[in-house]
Amino acid sequence: EEIKLFCPATIANVSCGFDVLGLCLEQPGDEMIIRKSSSPGIQITKIVGQDLPLENQKNVAGVAGLALLNELKELHAGFEIEIYKNIKPGSGIGSSAASAAGAVFGINQLLGQPFSAKELILFAMQGEFLASGALHADNVAPALLGGFTLVRSYNPLDVIRLPVPAELMATVIHPQLEVKTADARSVLKHSVSLKNAITQWGNLGGLISALYTNDYDLLSRCLHDEIIEPLRSVLIPGFDEVKATALAHGALGSGISGSGPSIFALSKSKSTAKEIASAMADVYRKFEVDYDVHVSKIN
Ligand code: HSE
């Protein structure tokens, strides 16, 4: 018995929602094959496309899957996992989340769905903890639930699925360097001024409202981040110019995807999203920075 999965890339934070807001892309994504095995536990048998550890305690898919099996207390259950990575680790579009979410989703399916989506998020977060040292759910929640998700609370975990305006598109460009989430978190300050907090929660509330009402103008007014972006953008080559270019070509907003270095832009149509992609790519060509660029629906 086996299952073949598509494990989507995700954009965490979405400017004003650090650690709480995330969205799921239709592409790119990894593929994963999970099959039942007669030897108990988890064996990662193959990883194609990236040089990542096969030992299950060192691999996010292994750690997340083991968290699920430990909770199940079915000690004889065993699974083999093959991972075909298309999402580069350290790119800022949820590479570790795709593997962690895929593992727990697939194992849960093969076991006859003993766990709810919320429980799967908790297991997948253990994989994220291995990857970044932080128990954040803003990539694994959208990877497991699809669309936009809001982590209303971490303790206890309370995740809300939000609607996606039908025409909304994402463009993501990845300058070819790796930024580890743990490093991108270490540059953050641990306190926020009241002035910045007021701006941020106003924008986050407005963004949620915009998603429910399909209000693209409001969405555009809310896609800002005065807390995290100024501290992290210095790690990203050409950030200011890429972002300004996206906005000049019709983006509703643009910012750092997750912990970077990918830069995302949201827009209202596929043609605008494609135009933004080529304009952003022009900036990196001018700077002689290698890049990958993706245009995707949010799904
Ligand atoms: N919210 C997390 C961060 C996402 O920005 O550190 C990491 O992908």
Side-chain angles (χ1 to χ4, degrees):
E1 226 183 318
E2 70 171 41
I3 186 167
K4 189 173 178 187
L5 302 168
F6 176 76
C7 312
T10 45
I11 296 175
N13 303 334
V14 200
S15 294
C16 56
F18 178 71
D19 270 5
V20 297
L21 195 62
L23 62 83
C24 185
L25 297 173
E26 205 167 68
Q27 53 159 333
D30 298 340
E31 280 178 9
M32 197 179 261
I33 296 171
I34 306 182
R35 61 179 70 87
K36 282 188 173 170
S37 138
S38 52
S39 49
I42 289 177
Q43 248 193 309
I44 298 167
T45 52
K46 198 183 200 181
I47 300 174
V48 177
Q50 289 293 329
D51 188 17
L52 292 165
L54 289 169
E55 298 118 280
N56 54 26
Q57 300 283 358
K58 290 188 184 164
N59 184 291
V60 296
V63 166
L66 286 172
L68 184 158
L69 292 187
N70 286 340
E71 188 66 27
L72 194 67
K73 300 186 177 69
E74 251 193 60
L75 298 171
H76 55 275
F79 298 90
E80 285 178 6
I81 303 181
E82 292 175 15
I83 307 172
Y84 298 84
K85 290 295 296 176
N86 295 314
I87 312 171
K88 295 192 176 93
S91 57
I93 51 170
S95 178
S96 54
S99 295
V104 297
F105 180 85
I107 292 171
N108 194 51
Q109 290 294 116
L110 291 172
L111 289 169
Q113 301 187 42
F115 294 112
S116 66
K118 178 177 156 185
E119 288 167 314
L120 295 183
I121 293 170
L122 286 166
F123 302 137
M125 284 168 70
Q126 297 298 326
E128 290 291 65
F129 185 73
L130 174 78
S132 70
L135 277 170
H136 66 92
D138 50 343
N139 292 106
V140 292
L144 283 163
L145 303 180
F148 271 90
T149 57
L150 176 76
V151 183
R152 201 280 309 164
S153 154
Y154 272 94
N155 192 15
L157 186 68
D158 184 4
V159 176
I160 300 163
R161 215 183 152 204
L162 303 166
V164 184
E167 294 163 281
L168 198 62
M169 295 289 298
T171 306
V172 190
I173 192 157
H174 174 214
Q176 303 288 285
L177 63 137
E178 194 177 329
V179 172
K180 291 197 163 61
T181 296
D183 295 337
R185 293 180 83 87
S186 72
V187 304
L188 301 179
K189 289 188 191 137
H190 286 265
S191 56
V192 170
S193 72
L194 186 59
K195 180 175 168 285
N196 282 347
I198 291 166
T199 305
Q200 202 90 340
W201 60 53
N203 282 331
L204 182 59
L207 187 147
I208 305 292
S209 173
L211 296 179
Y212 277 93
T213 55
N214 293 301
D215 187 336
Y216 293 90
D217 287 337
L218 174 60
L219 183 63
S220 178
R221 296 201 298 280
C222 297
L223 286 167
H224 300 287
D225 167 20
E226 292 173 11
I227 298 174
I228 310 293
E229 187 177 290
L231 298 170
R232 281 182 168 171
S233 56
V234 294
L235 304 171
I236 305 172
F239 175 81
D240 292 340
E241 187 156 353
V242 173
K243 176 177 170 170
T245 301
L247 295 173
H249 284 81
L252 300 166
S254 172
I256 303 172
S257 177
S259 55
S262 287
I263 302 169
F264 79 92
L266 298 184
S267 55
K268 205 190 155 178
S269 71
K270 195 171 182 180
S271 58
T272 311
K274 283 184 169 168
E275 189 187 323
I276 292 166
S278 73
M280 286 169 138
D282 285 344
V283 175
Y284 278 145
R285 266 200 300 277
K286 187 180 79 185
F287 289 159
E288 296 183 2
V289 173
D290 288 335
Y291 62 87
D292 274 343
V293 67
H294 303 280
V295 171
S296 174
K297 279 181 77 165
I298 296 156
N299 222 329

